[in-house]
Amino acid sequence: MKKFNIRKVLDGLTAVSSSSSSSAALQPGNRENDVIQETLQSEHFQLCKTVRHGFPYQPSAMAFDPVQKILAIGTQNGALRLFGRAGVECYCQHESGSAVIQLQFLVNEGALVTALADDSLHLWNLRQKIPAILHSLKFSRERITFCHLPFQSKWLYIGTERGNIHIVNVESFSLSGYVIMWNKAIELSSKTHPGPVVHISDNPMDEGKLLIGFECGFVVLWDLKSKKADYRYSYDEAIHSVAWHHEGKLFVCSHSDGTLTTWNVRSPAKPAQIITPHGKQPKDGKKPEPCKPILKVEYKTARAGEPFMILSGGLSYDTVGRRACLTVMHGKSTAVLEMDYPIVDFLALCETPYPNDYQEPYAVVVLLEKDLVVIDLAQPGYPSFENPYPLTIHESPVTCCEYFADCPAELIPALYSVGSRQKRQGYSKKKWPISGGNWGQGAQSYPEIIITGHADGSVKFWDASALMLQVLYKLKTAKVFEKARNKEEKPSTDIVDEDPFAIQSLAWCPESRLLCVAGVSAHVIVYRFSKQEITTEEVQLLEVRMQCELNEVDSPDVGGDQASAVTTPGASSSPQSSVPQTHPSTSSNNSSDGLRDNVPCLRVRNTPLKQSPGYQVELVIQLVWVSGEPPQQITSLAVNSAYGLVAFGNGNGLAVVDYLQKTLLLNMGTAELYGSSDPHQRQPRSPRKARQPSGGLCDGNDGSAGSEDRCKSPTSGNCYLLYFSFSYFIYARDNSFSRSRSSSVASIDKESREVISSLHFCDCLSRKCEVTAVASLWLGTSVGTMLAISLSVPSTPELRLQQSVGISFCGSVVRLKGGIMRMALMDSTGSLQPPAYECWYDLNAPEEEKERTRRRRPASPPSTQENQDSHYAVVCSEKQAKVVAMPSQNCVFEHNITENSFVLRADVVVMPAGICIACFCTVNPCLQCNYCAEAQTWNGSSRTFCFSNLGQALYLTSPTEIQRLTYSQETCDNLQEMLGELFTPVETPEAPNRGFFKGLFGGGAQSLDREDLFGELAAGKASRSLAQHIPGPGSMEGMKGAASGVVGELARARIALDERGQKLGELEERTAAMMASADSFSKHAHDDWKSASLEVSKENIISI
């Protein structure tokens, strides 16, 4: 742990970032307090994505491994989501971003084949926590339309748009020379091209027979050994899907006219049966009226009952406006199950993976455009399973998001206890059938909570601990307001086009469980948490009239200089205008010229409100129309339980409300907050602005022109993350986000008026002459000014309810370039000083319990001597970051974050080793440094980005998905342990018993040695121009290819070491062999020498 002098921070900044300028200055008299311990270093930071939650955006394909119990979903943007048991999820992305058209599991092998719309095939390795591509195959001359991988086979059948079928070895991902050409398949039975291949499957009882379905309605049963067609089946209508009976004697086809045809394999002349499940049967025996296409059919048999025939589509054309349906035909009964969204795909889950045995279906997985439904086939009425995945994030579009890490331990159980009462009933009693994988064993165990605000006015609390996500509690704020009985009574706010209840921002105190939400209709609602159910006879309402005559600002050049602090004496400021009520205002007041005046945008209900355990409304604050102009939307919000105050600001000024006494303490225009020394040149008020959208994050599926305009960003550019303490900077840019400011200041770009952009309650020394810390309110504006207000709060709870809070103005503290985004307070040691709070107590509990649990806020920080700084104000704007010593108001640290862009989101966060400022910014597109490659252009990413403590952050990567990331090196190091495992060793079920007589007389399933047919020796090599093999990053070739970058150097070094070790091993073996050979040679040579010596001795003796 090193110590550094705060006057020397410039040395650590210029060494890392040459594009940013830094300066530091200290005034005399503070030398005893200017040394703090700096504990954060660059090695404490590392940026990486962790997990992705939510429903896969724009799904396009689905597959299921019946042995591993793993579900895979592909999307139109090339994403791949894998689901196991609750809490086991995985996200992968194809680099091309092309749509996934089909998925095929290598059942119980820990591998998955994906087929993309760009005519490429990819083999994924699922035996590792983060799946990787082993092989890829890119077709160049034909378009892929259908894939089929038989159970326990390594040969993949590929159908193409030209009507041909190619065969791929999934082990080597190489093409076989065996090709089924369309003209040989149909021969002279059809005079025209049969169209693309829409189905491929092998006969369940004979692997040597391949059933090929063409789009035009033509079906061929192909003999793989003889390379010719055994039978050909023809029907007038186009085919969408084909399903086998498990005995292999008949199959069913679904057609474009809503009919199902059943064919006997050996009777190709005509169908054995033709039915129209949803067609009206004419009495004269004519053909039923055509229906909508049956997009898919599955035929599953049961040993102890009638078979199941499950199909999607096929409804009558006269059912206009009817929702998508899934039809389950079981024996003589037909059940039509309506779905909330269009059906993308469905799969029947069966007890056995073998196609030649009774299937015994027990559930159906239905993939919808915006939901995933699993239906229980074993229970009457076909109830659905309760989905354990967090797939309801997009139930209403997300409009704001907040992330809280390291929350109080009792919060999650408390929210879960009240949220469990909100669960729906009528689900299946069986366990969730998608149950594969294992949970991670990470050490990260602190509680994490995510709060999302939605367009319908709902607020959801999520348990985000241990890289999981589970909904805890849902609050509906729209219940406070009157419901429209008809279209004429529908709320017309004139400040939003739609979604008048949408949540724009929220403030939450985890310790006191106090919640405050701000809506787009210029309303603020204060909620308290209670475990008791109550009935509120009249909702407490406070109407506020905010008006500012001088509101357009020409900001002078800041130049990095600090604005002079101006103190406006006064004990308490009288509000401009407020209308406190205990019932909603129903009058439609008009001014003298006929304009709307003193009318709120929404009508608060005037009937008793039953409030369940959980968050219960304490006070509703509404801004009203002023002289024909609607109220400005709220741009900043803060709440403090220790003071009992709520503060909010907009383009007209600032308001402070005492929610305990239900009174308005302060209502002033921004210009009046400066006092007599206003540094800005203000112009007369501009004309009335046009209506603005609600700020909700639009769904990309909405094709209306208005929706597209709402979702457009002001400009586009790259984004990056920046986190720094006083002595260093670390940059991580990301060009995946579309530039868009946060929802709280979205309107600042369109107007030049000075807006209250940030608020912060704290106990500090706000005046230069103060020696004791007092309750204060800091506010930052869109032109970069930080102002301070001193609060005089009664000392005891009894006095607090009897006496009003005093307010005095301290003037401006510091000025920065760009609008202020975040403010925080540090003590003299550099530790973050959290706002004061009051511990939670149940307001509706008995008095004894209430007094026992109620505790006042922590004591104020110790006082300081005159001319001695004991606090530091940390202020971050769209352009700069400054640290100001308090109470001297001297700037001791300054850094210019960016010149050509701006900060989208900033926060002062606590890391395990210290505190830092984390910024999410846009950068100039010419700066190329991509640390988080993700091809996303959805503008909601930047508007929902939020930081939390301990190096955690998140953003909405699509309208339905939350992407979590970390900038903590410690979390990155433990990420592998924290992630769940998809593949687990499971034995494959035994094959069905053929029986004695079937085995004796040759019955049962016929196997096929496909290697003899498709191997290179029998079929030869395929044309090299047909497809190109690309090694994936997960293969050895891919590892060698990826070893060209900085990160790849390690992989290349490891490969080189392995090769060197192998060569050394071989050399050692050769050396040992040579030594053994030398020893043998030496021994033989010695023996020969002795033999030769004996022969010479014998000759000498004979000669003598």
Side-chain angles (χ1 to χ4, degrees), residues 480 536-541 581-583 604-605 609 617 620:
V480 177
T536 303
E537 296 297 330
E538 290 181 331
V539 176
Q540 297 290 320
L541 172 63
Q581 300 179 11
T582 57
H583 56 84
V604 176
R605 61 185 298 168
L609 176 63
V617 61
V620 178

Side-chain angles (χ1 to χ4, degrees), residues 590-597 627-628:
N590 295 327
S591 60
S592 59
D593 53 0
L595 300 177
R596 299 179 66 181
D597 194 49
S627 301

Side-chain angles (χ1 to χ4, degrees), residues 53-55 69 71 81 83-89 365 371-374 384-393 416 423 427-428 430-436 439 462-463 467-472:
H53 303 295
F55 183 78
K69 307 292 185 183
L71 182 72
R81 295 284 299 275
F83 297 90
R85 64 179 62 188
V88 178
E89 300 180 33
V365 181
D371 200 1
L372 181 70
V373 179
V374 181
S384 60
F385 289 85
E386 185 177 5
N387 199 321
Y389 307 135
L391 303 183
T392 59
I393 295 172
Y416 180 81
K423 290 186 177 181
Y427 289 112
S428 173
K430 294 185 178 179
K431 293 182 178 180
W432 181 251
I434 306 171
S435 56
W439 293 310
W462 305 81
D463 178 10
L467 296 185
M468 297 184 184
L469 193 67
Q470 180 184 9
V471 64
L472 293 172

Side-chain angles (χ1 to χ4, degrees), residues 750-778:
K750 303 178 182 179
E751 301 182 7
S752 59
R753 70 178 65 199
E754 186 175 14
V755 176
I756 305 297
S757 58
S758 180
L759 295 167
H760 181 70
F761 284 102
C762 61
D763 280 359
C764 68
L765 306 168
S766 298
R767 286 193 177 92
K768 291 184 177 181
C769 58
E770 288 180 337
V771 294
T772 303
V774 296
S776 303
L777 172 63
W778 292 348

Side-chain angles (χ1 to χ4, degrees), residues 1000-1060:
L1000 181 64
F1001 296 105
Q1006 301 294 322
S1007 61
L1008 174 70
D1009 189 354
R1010 296 183 176 90
E1011 185 69 32
D1012 293 341
L1013 291 176
F1014 308 143
E1016 186 175 338
L1017 295 178
K1021 293 184 178 180
S1023 173
R1024 293 185 178 180
S1025 61
L1026 180 62
Q1028 178 187 3
H1029 177 263
I1030 305 172
S1035 62
M1036 184 59 68
E1037 294 87 350
M1039 289 177 62
K1040 291 182 179 180
S1044 58
V1046 177
V1047 178
E1049 290 295 335
L1050 181 58
R1052 185 167 60 184
R1054 289 179 177 175
I1055 294 173
L1057 286 174
D1058 292 341
E1059 294 176 350
R1060 185 179 302 173

Side-chain angles (χ1 to χ4, degrees), residues 791-804:
L791 306 172
S792 176
V793 182
S795 57
T796 64
E798 294 76 14
L799 293 177
R800 177 64 183 84
L801 296 176
Q802 298 173 2
Q803 301 177 4
S804 61

